[in-house]
Amino acid sequence: MEKTFETAIIELENIIKELESGNTPLENAITKYTEAMQLVKFCSDKLNQATEQVNKTLAENGELKPFIYQEEEK
């Protein structure tokens, strides 16, 4: 099963709680920290992908073009 953004966040929160407890031996803390940094990168990549998708819209001819937000004038 492929990891999702949501499951990665839950894993990251659990690691943070464990490290914040202060009861993790140094060797395990280093391993957990490394795992946490991999999860942060995974989540960051997922957010960047989602941002790219949201920022693109289809033009009338079917080409992708950047989404440009324009506030309505009152």
Side-chain angles (χ1 to χ4, degrees), residues 18-32:
E18 185 177 339
L19 292 174
E20 285 180 340
S21 75
N23 297 325
T24 307
L26 179 60
E27 294 80 16
N28 291 350
I30 292 169
T31 301
K32 291 292 183 180

Side-chain angles (χ1 to χ4, degrees), residues 10-26:
I10 291 168
E11 288 179 43
L12 187 55
E13 288 173 343
N14 290 335
I15 290 171
I16 290 168
K17 287 176 188 173
E18 185 177 339
L19 292 174
E20 285 180 340
S21 75
N23 297 325
T24 307
L26 179 60

Side-chain angles (χ1 to χ4, degrees), residues 37-65:
M37 294 311 296
Q38 291 170 343
L39 289 167
V40 167
K41 182 180 180 335
F42 174 84
C43 291
S44 176
D45 290 346
K46 286 288 187 186
L47 286 174
N48 287 336
Q49 290 171 2
T51 299
E52 286 178 25
Q53 283 183 297
V54 168
N55 288 334
K56 291 183 179 177
T57 57
L58 286 177
E60 287 182 23
N61 63 2
E63 289 182 28
L64 288 175
K65 66 177 186 177

